Amino acid sequence: MESQKKKLVMGFFGFLLTIMFVASNVEAWTGEIHGRVVCDVCGDSSIGPEDHVLEGAEVAVLCITKSGEVLNYQAFTNAKGMYTVAETMPESDRWDACLARPISSFHDHCSHLGEGSAGVKFTYNHPSGYFHTVRPFVYRHASVPTYCI
């Protein structure tokens, strides 16, 4: 009886080692997407000294993987107006194409989405460890300040 238990335990450990060996052969892939959200104070469609970054702005990133799975990410900008989405997954499931779009700005005066900032679609064909930078999303003031006129 003791011999059968030993064989069973040894067989189980052998099975676990085999699983760990097979799983370790799966290559990991890491991707990263980042961008900025800014306030175009004068509404002139150019980033100038009067403009500023928006902290706390919400951005959604939707990606479809090579295997067809759809992944939805939510990010918020930091004090430098930057957002980042990153994921590590098996190489066979890596991102194929993504859509980044602004969701909202919580800034009191700069909460109207600028023209051309509805979203950006792109293919993601970077090797593991590289990143894709999305062009800045721009919000504008409800009314242009007098010093801009």
Side-chain angles (χ1 to χ4, degrees):
M1 181 76 165
E2 195 65 33
S3 171
Q4 286 179 331
K5 280 186 179 179
K6 262 187 182 177
K7 284 182 183 178
L8 186 61
V9 169
M10 293 303 285
F12 181 70
F13 281 125
F15 175 74
L16 284 177
L17 287 173
T18 302
I19 294 294
M20 288 173 36
F21 176 74
V22 170
S24 69
N25 286 334
V26 174
E27 293 202 27
W29 174 88
T30 300
E32 184 176 313
I33 299 165
H34 57 80
R36 287 189 325 157
V37 179
V38 298
C39 178
D40 181 8
V41 175
C42 291
D44 57 4
S45 299
S46 66
I47 309 298
E50 72 281 358
D51 302 323
H52 59 86
V53 298
L54 291 175
E55 181 177 5
E58 183 179 6
V59 176
V61 180
L62 196 70
C63 293
I64 188 164
T65 66
K66 297 266 185 200
S67 62
E69 184 179 2
V70 177
L71 303 173
N72 190 18
Y73 303 94
Q74 178 184 25
F76 293 90
T77 56
N78 61 18
K80 295 180 180 179
M82 297 292 296
Y83 65 90
T84 301
V85 168
E87 180 85 64
T88 299
M89 59 188 69
E91 175 77 31
S92 60
D93 291 336
R94 59 177 279 176
W95 296 329
D96 187 35
C98 298
L99 167 69
R101 61 188 182 92
I103 299 297
S104 61
S105 164
F106 298 105
H107 192 274
D108 291 338
H109 302 290
C110 205
S111 57
H112 296 289
L113 198 56
E115 293 176 26
S117 285
V120 178
K121 288 192 289 187
F122 55 93
T123 57
Y124 197 101
N125 53 12
H126 300 294
S128 183
Y130 287 80
F131 60 87
H132 180 86
T133 302
V134 177
R135 66 174 169 73
F137 293 125
V138 178
Y139 283 89
R140 294 184 174 163
H141 277 247
S143 58
V144 176
T146 54
Y147 62 82
C148 293
I149 300 174

